[in-house]
């Protein structure tokens, strides 16, 4: 990619990663520009960081799309391009044995919020969407409309653990409670699963006997602020190549996995 990439960031909280990305764009460590910051949380401190840097902010009201009585929103309110069966087939956010009407309700309400999010993001023409502490899982409805556009993945997430260990909302806590001697953080492309997409980069720290959840979080965050800009810069330089690999495990089982190769310059 010759020119600076246009980055949209989605956040729900403090936005220290967002700050690291904004700073890296300003000081030339990322050939890019944060063109907008979106949030599901009007009180997210990260929105203040965006405003302080003159970056437009957008809010998406997820809760407003939930029907109060738990019913499925009427079909004439659904996005025109919503294919519920396709979503059900692809999604892995909810258990497959969840009763169909609950599944449809969850997916439709999410897709309604995501259709709105896509609409408000569109004018900013982002090349890359970075999730930086965004506490909403993206459904295949959103992911397909972003990833499949240019034929390559362009939604990234940062996770506070060495994936595939400890996906979910409390990576640092889970790492600590397990008794790990090393912890870390991971940047990956987003797929339909929870923190399961192809890994782009990782950094690790040592957990000492005197460490606490708070102290390992502090160690981890410092690494996150380095790792995320580095991975975004690889994207900006067009050096991230997802490759579909097929492996045979020692037990004969065939394993297929998309892995990210870093193209050397
Ligand atoms: C980080 O630990 C990140 O790994 C996780 O959410 C946290 C966000 O922190 N996904 P901040 O809002 O960037 O400070």
């Amino acid at each position: 990619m010759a020119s600076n990439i246009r980055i949209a960031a989605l956040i729900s909280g403090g936005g220290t990663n967002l700050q690291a990305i904004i700073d890296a764009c300003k000081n030339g460590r990322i050939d890019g520009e944060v063109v907008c910051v979106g949030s599901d949380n009007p009180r997210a401190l990260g929105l203040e960081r965006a405003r302080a840097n003159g970056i437009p902010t957008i809010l998406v009201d997820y809760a407003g799309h939930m029907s109060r009585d738990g019913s499925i929103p009427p079909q004439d309110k659904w996005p025109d391009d919503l294919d519920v069966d396709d979503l059900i087939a692809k999604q892995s956010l909810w258990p497959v044995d969840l009763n169909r009407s609950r599944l449809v309700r969850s997916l439709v309400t999410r897709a309604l919020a995501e259709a709105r999010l896509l609409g408000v993001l569109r004018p900013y023409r982002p090349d890359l969407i970075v999730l930086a502490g965004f506490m909403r899982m993206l459904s295949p409805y959103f992911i397909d409309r972003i990833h499949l556009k240019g034929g390559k993945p362009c939604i990234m997430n940062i996770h506070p653990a060495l994936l595939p260990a400890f996906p979910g909302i409390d990576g640092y806590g889970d790492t600590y409670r397990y008794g790990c001697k090393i912890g870390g953080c991971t940047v990956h492309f987003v797929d339909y699963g929870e923190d399961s997409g192809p890994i782009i980069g990782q950094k690790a720290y040592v957990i000492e006997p005197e460490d606490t959840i708070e102290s390992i979080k502090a160690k981890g965050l410092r690494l996150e602020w380095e790792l995320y800009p580095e991975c975004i810069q690889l994207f900006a330089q067009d050096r991230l190549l997802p490759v579909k690999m097929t492996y045979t495990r020692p037990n004969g089982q065939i394993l297929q996995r998309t892995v990210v190769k870093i193209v050397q310059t």
Side-chain angles (χ1 to χ4, degrees):
M1 246 168 253
S3 55
N4 275 1
I5 58 163
R6 300 173 62 81
I7 302 164
L10 299 179
I11 58 156
S12 298
T16 62
N17 277 286
L18 168 68
Q19 189 68 58
I21 294 166
I22 293 171
D23 293 346
C25 288
K26 285 192 170 164
N27 66 26
R29 282 186 299 124
I30 295 176
D31 297 327
E33 180 193 355
V34 180
V35 291
C36 67
V37 174
S39 182
D40 60 325
N41 172 14
R43 287 175 300 283
L45 194 64
L47 291 173
E48 290 304 317
R49 295 179 188 273
R51 289 185 199 111
N53 284 277
I55 299 168
T57 59
I58 53 188
L59 264 181
V60 172
D61 177 17
Y62 270 71
H65 293 290
M66 304 288 171
S67 52
R68 292 197 197 294
D69 58 0
S71 60
I72 299 174
Q75 207 152 344
D76 61 347
K77 297 266 185 318
W78 296 7
D80 291 342
D81 56 354
L82 177 63
D83 177 344
V84 173
D85 291 318
D86 179 58
L87 278 196
I88 291 178
K90 288 175 176 168
Q91 74 90 28
S92 51
L93 305 179
W94 288 283
V96 278
D97 55 359
L98 194 70
N99 123 346
R100 180 170 163 105
S101 71
R102 282 186 60 193
L103 197 53
V104 171
R105 190 186 71 218
S106 305
L107 287 165
V108 169
T109 50
R110 191 162 299 249
L112 279 167
E114 290 176 345
R116 176 100 188 95
L117 180 56
L118 286 163
V120 289
L121 283 174
R122 196 167 297 123
Y124 294 99
R125 296 177 289 105
D127 300 302
L128 175 67
I129 295 179
V130 295
L131 309 183
F134 186 57
M135 300 309 282
R136 305 279 177 172
M137 293 277 294
L138 296 172
S139 84
Y141 179 80
F142 185 92
I143 295 168
D144 284 356
R145 275 153 193 79
I146 297 289
H147 272 351
L148 301 185
K149 234 178 32 187
K152 60 178 187 177
C154 44
I155 310 173
M156 280 185 192
N157 181 41
I158 187 154
H159 182 73
L162 288 174
L163 291 171
F166 311 122
I169 57 165
D170 192 17
Y172 288 126
D174 290 341
T175 300
Y176 179 82
R177 284 185 290 268
Y178 200 87
C180 293
K181 306 301 180 235
I182 287 179
C185 51
T186 305
V187 171
H188 63 93
F189 283 123
V190 169
D191 69 2
Y192 300 146
E194 186 179 34
D195 302 319
S196 56
I199 289 173
I200 299 166
Q202 296 183 300
K203 284 189 189 283
Y205 55 85
V206 173
I207 301 175
E208 308 287 357
E210 62 276 14
D211 269 321
T212 60
I213 294 186
E214 286 67 37
S215 68
I216 71 158
K217 186 173 175 197
K219 287 183 188 181
L221 270 173
R222 272 197 296 276
L223 295 181
E224 290 187 33
W225 303 332
E226 293 170 14
L227 179 65
Y228 219 170
E230 286 171 15
C231 292
I232 294 170
Q233 176 63 354
L234 289 172
F235 181 94
Q237 294 172 324
D238 209 9
R239 292 176 57 198
L240 298 176
L241 184 65
V243 184
K244 276 194 182 140
M245 303 294 290
T246 303
Y247 302 100
T248 307
R249 303 182 78 195
N251 64 3
Q253 190 192 14
I254 303 292
L255 176 75
Q256 290 190 311
R257 170 97 193 143
T258 298
V259 301
V260 176
K261 306 270 182 197
I262 314 273
V263 178
Q264 297 306 314
T265 47

